[in-house]
């Protein structure tokens, strides 16, 4: 398939994926398309429906998963998350066009499609033929991760504990040979951002080169 390769960004909750993506979209917004996921969790203050996530009920999501509308889905920290396969579910493309994959549609527009998914999502996407670049963002340590999650002020003690338990497993799995093309340790934000940009530079060049063509 022509067009830039999609990018899968994964790593523990609180590692800094959204922060890095925000910087990337601010600098290179026109060459990226974010795959807006569906989730059953509640929106955080400042999150917008259709931009950060499509916030849906478990009933709706289960029905659509059963109908085969998701490329992948996972249960994470007591909520469902998933990437829909229909065009209408991509923030970029508000019109519905069943039977075409959203990720491919973004690629066909010469944009780099970014998917922010957990480890289960990574393993599911590995079974598709999307051929993305797999990047894991890791915190420098569990202690720093806990600090960041607490400072973000978005979790209850219960959800924090669930996220930290998942993070432990995630940090171990990120060492699995061949699972990720690159593991970025997000200690210093600016350094992590430069590393991310370098990893995507070829795809960014490809997309920028064709942007005005
Ligand atoms: P994720 O999207 O991976 O769950 P976030 O991007 O929300 O993580 O980051 C979690 C918290 O850590 C946020 O409050 C963010 O501002 C902060 N953060 C991210 N990267 C760094 C960094 N390198 N140094 C210090 N704080 C950071
Ligand atoms: P959060 O609730 O912090 O936004 O996200 C929790 C976790 O769910 C993160 O690890 C994030 O990468 C993951 N996630 C978000 N969207 C999806 C998705 O569509 N599929 C999968 N598998 N995981 C997702």
């Amino acid at each position: 398939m022509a067009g830039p390769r999609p990018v899968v960004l994964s790593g523990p909750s609180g590692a800094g994926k959204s922060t890095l993506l925000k910087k990337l979209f601010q600098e290179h917004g026109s060459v990226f398309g974010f795959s807006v996921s569906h989730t059953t969790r509640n929106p955080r203050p400042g999150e917008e429906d259709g931009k950060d996530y499509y916030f849906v009920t478990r009933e709706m999501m289960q029905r659509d998963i059963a109908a085969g509308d998701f490329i992948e889905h996972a249960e994470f920290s007591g909520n469902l998350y998933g990437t829909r396969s229909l065009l209408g579910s991509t923030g970029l493309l508000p019109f519905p066009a069943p039977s075409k994959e959203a990720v491919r549609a973004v690629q066909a527009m010469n944009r780099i499609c970014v998917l922010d998914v957990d480890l289960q999502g990574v393993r599911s996407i590995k079974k598709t033929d999307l051929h993305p670049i797999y990047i894991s963002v890791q915190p420098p340590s569990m202690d720093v991760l806990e600090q960041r999650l607490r400072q973000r002020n978005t979790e209850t003690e219960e959800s924090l504990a669930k996220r930290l338990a998942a993070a432990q497993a995630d940090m171990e799995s990120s060492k699995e040979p061949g699972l990720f093309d690159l593991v970025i340790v997000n200690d210093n934000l600016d350094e992590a951002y430069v590393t991310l940009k370098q990893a995507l530079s070829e795809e960014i060049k490809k997309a920028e080169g064709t942007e005005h063509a």
Side-chain angles (χ1 to χ4, degrees):
M1 165 100 201
R5 286 170 72 189
V7 175
V8 166
L9 206 62
S10 195
S13 168
K17 300 177 295 296
S18 312
T19 306
L20 286 166
L21 283 180
K22 205 170 152 205
K23 279 170 83 74
L24 195 64
F25 294 162
Q26 268 165 3
E27 194 180 347
H28 292 286
S30 65
V31 299
F32 286 94
F34 183 59
S35 167
V36 181
S37 296
H38 282 62
T39 184
T40 62
R41 83 151 161 74
N42 291 324
R44 294 175 187 146
E47 281 186 332
E48 284 177 47
D49 188 39
K51 184 165 172 264
D52 299 282
Y53 281 105
Y54 291 99
F55 296 99
V56 293
T57 62
R58 186 170 278 268
E59 292 69 37
M60 282 168 71
M61 195 149 163
Q62 277 170 335
R63 183 198 59 205
D64 293 349
I65 289 168
D69 288 350
F70 281 81
I71 297 174
E72 62 79 33
H73 67 277
E75 179 94 28
F76 180 91
S77 187
N79 286 296
L80 278 173
Y81 294 81
T83 309
R84 270 184 77 125
S85 52
L86 303 185
L87 265 180
S89 303
T90 306
L92 249 181
L93 302 157
F95 50 89
S99 89
K100 286 222 182 154
E101 282 181 11
V103 179
R104 290 214 190 279
V106 173
Q107 197 175 13
M109 291 171 72
N110 277 312
R111 288 189 180 225
I112 304 165
C113 185
V114 178
L115 298 104
D116 174 344
V117 298
D118 82 324
L119 212 54
Q120 300 164 78
V122 169
R123 295 193 196 282
S124 300
I125 293 167
K126 289 246 161 175
K127 293 179 192 146
T128 71
D129 59 357
L130 289 174
H131 193 49
I133 299 172
Y134 293 93
I135 299 177
S136 171
V137 179
Q138 292 289 327
S141 68
M142 278 298 283
D143 284 350
V144 171
L145 183 72
E146 179 168 351
Q147 242 175 41
R148 285 187 190 165
L149 278 173
R150 285 190 184 280
Q151 277 165 5
R152 192 172 71 183
N153 224 5
T154 53
E155 308 307 317
T156 61
E157 280 303 315
E158 193 194 346
S159 73
L160 181 77
K162 282 187 192 164
R163 280 166 191 258
L164 289 176
Q168 192 91 54
D170 191 305
M171 286 169 85
E172 281 307 308
S173 298
S174 70
K175 297 178 196 148
E176 208 176 296
L179 190 58
F180 290 99
D181 298 304
L182 176 69
V183 178
I184 300 174
V185 178
N186 176 22
D187 190 353
N188 175 291
L189 182 64
D190 290 334
E191 283 173 20
Y193 180 57
V194 167
T195 309
L196 176 64
K197 259 201 321 189
Q198 269 166 2
L200 303 181
S201 65
E202 235 175 79
E203 299 309 313
I204 292 175
K205 253 188 262 161
K206 241 196 253 174
E208 279 177 341
T210 50
E211 199 186 343
H212 306 293

